[in-house]
Amino acid sequence: MITKNDFHQLLASLGNNNPSFTELNLAFHAIGDEGANALAGVIGSNSNLTGLDLSSVDMTDNSAMNLANAISKHPKLKFLSLRCNQLGDTGAQAFFNVLHEQTVLETLFLSKNHITDNAIPSLISCLKHNKKLKTLDLDNNLITNVGLVKLNEIFTTNFSLIELQLNNNPGITKEANVYIVLIKQSLARKKRILTLIRNLDKQINYLKALDHQISKINQNANTFRLHLNQKANNFTRENNYFSILKAAENRLTAEIRELQNIGYPGAEHWLD
């Protein structure tokens, strides 16, 4: 169990944006609402944190809003576990509400938090807007068939969530298993679609890279072509100069020979 002094030192280090804090695990340390509120006050100061585990820390809805607001502004936090606390519907709704705009968090564990159907509308609203959340764990809560049926409706519009856990909710009866099957089928289809999209993105990136290489080759070829044209133009000009000089030389030779033919003094040596 973490001591109060160690916890305050941890908060100070976290608040100083310590680069070693990429993951923080406080699971099973009973920091309670006081500790959760203190953590909420400094978590925004650490931009390196990607994972936070607050399972079984005696949190309630009294600290949920502060922590949810702090997490909503965090630039890198992708994993959050709040398993086995006492958040209830109010606490769960606090996190669902801020996830409307939060675009980083991918995994949220809320199992065993006394969450009922009353929190489902907030969750549905969240899933209509959030495009990043991939995994949501709601095992061991108090959700019933009514909440399950409502949840089934969201999967026609949400394409990011690919794993939803609803095990051991006593209010979900065997008769409602058909909805669980439909949800799992929907999630499986989305997972396949996302895999296809990722593969397609890889192919697109490969083609973009290939196109870039071809553009560089064409650019180099154009540069070489311009160089060759310049050489050819220089060669043509040199040939023209040579032709002019040759013609002048021929004319001069012809005139000298005429002078030789008429016996002009000294002309007999001009072509030696």
Side-chain angles (χ1 to χ4, degrees):
M1 187 69 64
I2 191 170
T3 66
K4 183 173 289 189
N5 184 52
D6 288 342
F7 184 63
H8 286 311
Q9 288 182 1
L10 184 148
L11 291 177
S13 182
L14 188 66
N16 290 330
N17 201 21
N18 189 324
S20 65
F21 270 118
T22 57
E23 295 182 0
L24 178 57
N25 186 352
L26 288 171
F28 304 104
H29 293 288
I31 62 173
D33 288 325
E34 181 182 354
N37 282 324
L39 184 63
V42 299
I43 196 172
S45 302
N46 190 297
S47 59
N48 303 297
L49 199 64
T50 60
L52 177 60
D53 192 343
L54 295 177
S55 303
S56 298
V57 296
D58 292 341
M59 270 185 65
T60 72
D61 58 345
N62 291 327
S63 58
M65 182 59 73
N66 287 337
L67 186 61
N69 286 334
I71 287 171
S72 71
K73 301 167 187 174
H74 201 281
K76 292 183 180 179
L77 192 70
K78 294 184 177 183
F79 173 89
L80 175 62
S81 177
L82 299 169
R83 288 169 168 162
C84 304
N85 285 294
Q86 296 90 43
L87 297 181
D89 292 327
T90 304
Q93 287 169 340
F95 286 96
F96 294 153
N97 290 338
V98 300
L99 283 175
H100 279 227
E101 305 300 331
Q102 214 272 2
T103 58
V104 179
L105 196 68
E106 296 181 354
T107 302
L108 177 59
F109 291 158
L110 290 172
S111 60
K112 208 170 183 180
N113 266 288
H114 310 291
I115 299 169
T116 74
D117 294 340
N118 294 329
I120 297 301
S122 295
L123 173 57
I124 291 173
S125 179
C126 158
L127 293 177
K128 284 181 179 178
H129 296 87
N130 188 283
K131 306 300 181 186
K132 273 290 186 179
L133 192 66
K134 296 179 180 179
T135 301
L136 177 61
D137 179 6
L138 292 172
D139 287 347
N140 297 288
N141 280 294
L142 303 173
I143 298 169
T144 70
N145 293 350
V146 175
L148 179 62
V149 172
K150 290 180 181 178
L151 270 177
N152 186 52
E153 301 170 1
I154 192 61
F155 295 107
T156 58
T157 55
N158 178 280
F159 294 98
S160 60
L161 194 70
I162 57 176
E163 187 172 353
L164 174 63
Q165 297 293 338
L166 289 164
N167 300 313
N168 299 320
N169 279 269
I172 298 177
T173 64
K174 291 181 180 180
E175 290 74 19
N177 282 341
V178 61
Y179 290 101
I180 293 180
V181 171
L182 289 173
I183 288 174
K184 288 184 177 180
Q185 288 176 345
S186 175
L187 295 174
R189 282 195 297 272
K190 283 198 294 184
K191 190 176 290 188
R192 288 195 296 270
I193 291 171
L194 289 174
T195 299
L196 289 173
I197 291 173
R198 281 194 293 269
N199 290 336
L200 183 60
D201 284 341
K202 288 180 181 178
Q203 293 296 324
I204 290 173
N205 290 333
Y206 170 76
L207 291 174
K208 285 181 179 178
L210 187 62
D211 183 61
H212 179 69
Q213 289 179 352
I214 292 173
S215 296
K216 283 192 70 173
I217 292 172
N218 286 336
Q219 186 178 5
N220 292 335
N222 288 333
T223 302
F224 184 64
R225 194 178 295 114
L226 290 173
H227 179 71
L228 286 179
N229 288 338
Q230 187 177 7
K231 286 287 187 182
N233 290 335
N234 291 339
F235 181 74
T236 301
R237 284 195 295 272
E238 289 172 359
N239 278 345
N240 290 337
Y241 295 151
F242 178 77
S243 298
I244 292 170
L245 290 173
K246 191 66 177 177
E249 181 185 6
N250 290 338
R251 285 196 299 273
L252 181 60
T253 300
E255 290 175 0
I256 290 174
R257 292 194 185 282
E258 288 182 7
L259 291 173
Q260 288 176 342
N261 290 335
I262 63 175
Y264 190 86
E268 64 273 13
H269 302 296
W270 287 0
L271 295 177
D272 294 345

